[in-house]
Amino acid sequence: MRLEIIPRGARSQVWTYASPLLAIALTLATTLIIFLLLGKEPLEALRVMWIDPLLTKRGFSELFVKAAPLIMIGVGLSLGFRANIWNIGAEGQYVMGAIFATGVALYFYDVESFPIWLLMIPAGILGGMFWGAIPALLKTRFNASEILTSLMLTYVAKLVLLYLVVGPWKDPDGYGFPQSRLLTSAASSPHLIPGTRIHVGVVAALIVVAIGWFLLSKSLLGFKLKVAGQAPRAAAYAGFSTKSLTWLSLLVGGGLAGLAGMFEIAGPIGQLTPALPTGYGFTAIIVAFLGRLHPVGVLFGGLVLALSYLGGEKAQIALGLPAAVTMINQGILLFYLLACDLLIRYRISLPTRKVA
Amino acid sequence: MDSVVFTSVVLSIISASTPLLLAATGELVTEKSGVLNLGVEGMMLVGAVVGFAVTLTTGNAFIGILAAALGGALMALIFSVLTLTLLANQVATGLALTIFGIGLAAMMGASFVGQPVGKLPALDLPYLTDLPLIGRILFGQDGLVYFSFIALGGTIWFLFHSHAGLVLRAVGDSHDAAHAIGYPVIAIRYGATLFGGAMSGLGGAYLSLSYTPMWAEDMTAGRGWIALALVVFATWRPLRLLLGAYLFGGITILQFHVQTLGLGIPAQMVSMLPYLATIVVLVVISTDRSKIRLNAPACLGRPFHVSG
């Protein structure tokens, strides 16, 4: 028996929101099967990965600490993805934001009376925007694919980071480790809730969601992005410039990734190290899709993916699974999501018998 | 330059170019059928780990290489089901394939990190391999190097001198017309994508069995993405792919030589060369929009669905 895929007249609103939920359910089911095959107690493993991380105050707060960068980057990416501008180099823009922010922190290393982290915010945003501006320029001026250029720049940014921490910014008292000095308290983003690592960056992520939501649903810009993505020709007729949307997507996407990098440096990590790039820029791509390319959706998507990181860490300790399990899970989640999204534009039905 | 140095430089360029040539040849065929698979990096990594693991366990490099091709093809199958049958966005699915592949390869390879494997056996012909200057270069390579040239030649013959190749190009240029004539668009795209996956798998296997030879996480270091850029550089023409792959192999080797020259350039800056070169090459080629438009398969990245 063959199933048929039949186009719907209009996009299904129900499946737009049901698809991510179904994808998450299918991912969990797949994980169960994998655990069975690995000879682990599946329900126990599921509890360790998806529920245990949330049971303590500390664990619950870590969810937000992990989700903050994913949400910031995800909101920026979702704007561009809406207009079919594929910035997949957010990881590099994140690193560059962290580098610029660290530069400011090290320059004002001796200043204690002024909250340096406030200056690091614009520096981080600028760093990310700078790294996003390069693919924007190459795309608008030379027609070069932003997919490939932004990705190549990610490798370059990581090498710049490596150069800085083994070279000019190496901690003189660091026993030769490739890392910068630890940032001073003036250069650290203040913690907000005692006993947790919740810092100003978490609030900043929420503000980013609010601004993103406002821009998308209440402004002409949001409308332009939607039209450019869904009906490029109509957008051209209406006089929306693809060039300016390309610039905007990459500058906003880069700036927000840079902001995320800044808050990682000023928050949980506390210094520039080669361990900074952990793939948030790539995971944020999944966050953006899971969140339906909508800032409020990205908020939830960020929390889900943050939980997958925490669960992955728990699984390493409690179940002895390798760290790669997190990435495999994330990949499978995106596979299922892309498959389920079929149901938004098509319905599946049994073949209708054709009368000859 | 004395002949020994010349030979060793050429040998090292060949070995740096081969993985790129293998993966890019596969991706070129995939793209010619109208499918853009950005998952090359993930498929190469899976090929690298599968080739390494199977060679180490069976002690037979030939079986290892076959397994690597199969691994790459299976990855491409996931991509094909999602994009060709379930009509998912090709860009997003390719990214998902890379994320998944990095994780999968790291998990499968966890117990193989740091283990030694015998380098692929090289051809050794009496007299010919011992010829000065060119003996080792022409008659002393391993099977995958020769195969990369055979595959390229076969691809040129297939695409431009066979009926099946004509059909494949038609599908890539106008899937609606090809469908109307009665060609199985989806089946042809499945075939082209699986071929691309198998070739990426071989490219990965070359890295883990001959270039390094060992397994390390993320050992492809962006070569899958460079292979994708090479297809654009070649403006979808196989012979120019050869030029591009060897240009980039040359740049990779140049990198090591610059480092040994002691010019005081930091190692990290020198390591940026291949990535920066990729950007430069993309810019130079893409600037001429008409050239891209003339040569790119017209249906590249567009989903095909028979309605009604």
Side-chain angles (χ1 to χ4, degrees), chain A residues 5 86 88 138 140 142-143 148 151-152 155-156 159-160 163 166 289 324 327-328 332 334-335 338-339 342 346, chain B residues 82 85-87 89 91 93 95-96 100 103-104 106-107 222 225 266 268-269 272 279 282-283 286-287 289 305:
Chain A
I5 297 172
W86 299 96
I88 59 170
L138 299 180
T140 53
F142 301 106
N143 195 33
L148 294 171
L151 194 98
M152 287 295 129
Y155 289 99
V156 176
L159 286 165
V160 173
Y163 162 72
V166 299
F289 281 113
M327 274 192 99
I328 296 181
I332 292 176
L334 186 50
F335 284 149
L338 291 164
L342 172 79
Y346 298 87
Chain B
L82 283 167
T85 302
L86 299 176
L87 305 169
N89 179 304
V91 173
T93 310
L95 294 175
F100 177 72
L104 185 67
M107 179 150 154
W225 296 100
Q268 295 80 19
M269 299 291 165
M272 288 175 194
I279 295 175
L282 273 174
V283 164
S286 310
T287 302
R289 279 165 209 256
H305 180 244

Side-chain angles (χ1 to χ4, degrees), chain B residues 65-192:
Chain B
I65 287 169
L66 282 185
L70 187 69
L74 282 176
M75 288 285 284
L77 183 64
I78 301 178
F79 177 88
S80 305
V81 170
L82 283 167
T83 59
L84 300 176
T85 302
L86 299 176
L87 305 169
N89 179 304
Q90 293 184 7
V91 173
T93 310
L95 294 175
L97 196 66
T98 289
I99 293 173
F100 177 72
I102 294 173
L104 185 67
M107 179 150 154
M108 289 197 293
S111 54
F112 294 102
V113 175
Q115 290 205 41
V117 71
K119 204 168 185 287
L120 286 182
L123 188 67
D124 192 3
L125 297 174
Y127 307 117
L128 286 176
T129 307
D130 299 325
L131 283 176
L133 215 57
I134 53 164
R136 289 272 325 274
I137 295 169
L138 290 181
F139 304 108
Q141 303 288 347
D142 59 51
L144 275 177
V145 172
Y146 294 117
F147 179 77
S148 71
F149 285 94
I150 295 169
L152 184 78
T155 297
I156 294 173
W157 172 82
F158 171 80
L159 282 178
F160 303 102
H161 301 280
S162 80
H163 180 71
L166 181 72
V167 174
L168 185 140
R169 285 187 291 136
V171 165
D173 276 325
S174 171
H175 47 217
D176 290 323
H179 173 71
I181 300 171
Y183 293 125
V185 172
I186 298 297
I188 288 165
R189 287 190 171 165
Y190 261 91

Side-chain angles (χ1 to χ4, degrees), chain B residues 5-18:
Chain B
V5 175
F6 171 81
T7 306
S8 82
V9 167
V10 174
L11 285 176
S12 60
I13 290 177
I14 292 173
S15 93
S17 311
T18 300

